[in-house]
Amino acid sequence: MKILVTGAKGFVGKNLIAELKNQKYTDILEYDIDDKPSILATYAKECDFVFHLAGVNRPQNQEEFMRGNFGFTSTLLDELKRYNNTCPVMISSSSQAAFDNPYGQSKKAGEDLMFAYAKETGSKVLVYRFPNVFGKWCRPNYNSAIATFCYNIAHDLSIQVNDPKVVMNLVYIYDVVAELIHAIEGKENKVDHYCSVPVVHTITLGEIVHLIYSFKKSREELSVPNMSDEFTKKLYSTYLSYLPEDQFQYPLKMNVDNRGSFTEFIRTKESGQVSVNISKPGITKGNHWHHSKNEKFLVVSGNGVVRFRKVGTDEVIEYYVSGEKLEVVDIPTGYTHNIENLGKTDMVTLMWVNECFNKDKPDTYYLEV
């Protein structure tokens, strides 16, 4: 299948083409505004499916709306008709097509042109009315509030929010791309005359800004967002894609002494805390127990032993651990425990605990195993 993508260098175009290649579609005909019209004619003759994503949304004058959104659509359809190519055509429209403004009028004109083309030629036409689309590779400080907010906040630049109560309907770029690939397979999400992305997120502008600022602060707090919320998860992925390229990494506070080190990695309200413990050869750490706090130990390098003794009893239980055989050791409540490095090199242990450390309520009681 030869797939023509207009607007190939745009936000949706780049993401779609990348996923088409992931899905092993190898014959992709990419066309953008800088290409010669003769190339479009060649592609219109050869293609088996068209993703018409090209359009204008931030012109220097309003006349460009109609020229870019209606005029180029007309040119594309004329080329298809010239070669009697009745392949399916998808067009990227906007929810703004329902409104009486220059942009919406141009999008509506493009839609009407597509419907007329379908009646005239019998071609399958898929008109997608997209709300605001967000995700990686969207140009900031252009026409996307989320791209602008993510970029500016990540780069310590100011943002402007005129009304935080404004409600936004949003679709995530990967959901858009997944739906468009369904369209190739004849499985488009269509109701009446229009197609749409089935997953839409509704949230206020103020809530979006609050979330993005929390993402920036999360590095200092060692926290991660609530990944059980689909929108938060997608917005966080988007935010990370706008990090300055010299700021992908950030430091952690290593608590170092003669025994080794202990470093907190991630703290979450919902899922507890993850830390990295490094023990020098011959060193034993721990010798304490908890009422409610529970842990998981995973030695990833070196070898040692985890010892337990149920509080009030004398029997010592031993579990030998090694980075050569990854096994998780649960640390139950009511058992005093320690971990000793039996090797000649540093032993590295990943430690998860079900709650973040609270100095006012540590639930940690010293007792030799």
Side-chain angles (χ1 to χ4, degrees), residues 286-289 336 364-369:
N287 286 317
H288 58 239
W289 64 280
T336 187
T364 300
Y365 306 93
Y366 177 79
L367 182 65
E368 290 277 353
V369 174

Side-chain angles (χ1 to χ4, degrees), residues 5 15 25 28 33 62 84 126 128 130 177 189 194 197 232 249 259 291 311 332 342 355:
V5 180
N15 278 276
Y25 290 96
I28 303 171
I33 192 170
Q62 293 186 352
N84 295 314
L126 304 173
Y128 278 85
F130 294 131
V177 166
N189 182 51
Y194 298 100
V197 179
T232 300
Q249 69 182 115
R259 301 175 302 161
H291 279 299
V311 174
L342 300 178
E355 59 186 43

Side-chain angles (χ1 to χ4, degrees), residues 19-294:
E19 185 57 21
L20 285 171
K21 292 177 179 178
N22 289 341
Q23 298 295 328
K24 308 306 180 185
Y25 290 96
T26 57
D27 213 343
I28 303 171
L29 310 175
E30 302 180 27
Y31 185 83
D32 208 81
I33 192 170
D34 297 331
D35 294 319
K36 296 178 181 179
S38 59
I39 297 176
L40 180 65
T42 301
Y43 289 170
K45 181 180 180 180
E46 299 177 354
C47 63
D48 302 303
F49 194 102
V50 179
F51 286 112
H52 180 33
L53 306 176
V56 175
N57 46 42
R58 283 290 293 270
Q60 294 188 4
N61 57 73
Q62 293 186 352
E63 289 75 18
E64 290 183 41
F65 277 132
M66 196 61 71
R67 184 163 58 249
N69 295 328
F70 172 80
F72 181 70
T73 300
S74 179
T75 299
L76 170 65
L77 298 183
D78 285 344
E79 293 293 348
L80 291 170
K81 286 191 286 187
R82 178 151 71 107
Y83 295 106
N84 295 314
N85 188 343
T86 57
C87 71
V89 183
M90 169 271 171
I91 184 172
S92 171
S93 188
S94 167
S95 55
Q96 288 289 313
F99 298 98
D100 188 20
N101 57 56
Y103 177 65
Q105 290 170 357
S106 67
K107 283 296 188 181
K108 183 64 167 61
E111 292 179 356
D112 293 342
L113 193 63
M114 293 293 291
F115 291 133
Y117 171 79
K119 287 184 179 180
E120 178 185 350
T121 64
S123 298
K124 182 178 181 179
V125 166
L126 304 173
V127 177
Y128 278 85
R129 280 190 170 180
F130 294 131
N132 294 283
V133 185
F134 72 102
K136 68 181 184 305
W137 302 342
C138 185
R139 179 178 169 185
N141 297 295
Y142 182 59
N143 71 323
S144 167
I146 287 187
T148 299
F149 292 160
C150 286
Y151 178 89
N152 284 17
I153 290 172
H155 288 76
D156 296 316
L157 301 173
S158 62
I159 64 170
Q160 181 176 339
V161 181
N162 294 325
D163 184 358
K165 295 180 182 179
V166 167
V167 175
M168 298 188 71
N169 293 313
L170 301 152
V171 288
Y172 183 51
I173 187 59
Y174 191 70
D175 293 330
V176 171
V177 166
E179 170 59 27
L180 294 184
I181 291 178
H182 286 159
I184 298 178
E185 302 165 349
K187 302 174 184 177
E188 64 274 3
N189 182 51
K190 188 174 184 180
V191 179
D192 297 327
H193 298 297
Y194 298 100
C195 301
S196 63
V197 179
V199 182
V200 180
H201 302 280
T202 301
I203 187 170
T204 67
L205 203 56
E207 290 172 312
I208 292 169
V209 170
H210 175 75
L211 276 172
I212 297 173
Y213 272 118
S214 75
F215 298 159
K216 184 176 180 63
K217 193 175 181 181
S218 67
R219 285 182 160 198
E220 302 169 12
E221 299 175 340
L222 304 184
S223 63
V224 291
N226 179 8
M227 294 299 172
S228 65
D229 180 77
E230 281 297 313
F231 177 74
T232 300
K233 181 168 62 175
K234 294 168 182 176
L235 185 63
Y236 183 60
S237 295
T238 302
Y239 170 77
L240 291 181
S241 72
Y242 290 96
L243 287 176
E245 292 186 351
D246 61 350
Q247 294 181 29
F248 287 179
Q249 69 182 115
Y250 57 100
L252 299 175
K253 180 185 177 184
M254 296 180 65
N255 300 290
V256 182
D257 59 24
N258 63 325
R259 301 175 302 161
S261 65
F262 181 82
T263 307
E264 293 182 9
F265 173 32
I266 291 175
R267 298 170 63 94
T268 72
K269 294 180 180 179
E270 301 85 9
S271 303
Q273 175 178 316
V274 178
S275 304
V276 179
N277 181 65
I278 299 177
S279 301
K280 296 292 183 183
I283 291 297
T284 299
K285 291 186 176 183
N287 286 317
H288 58 239
W289 64 280
H290 316 288
H291 279 299
S292 298
K293 185 182 294 185
N294 54 86

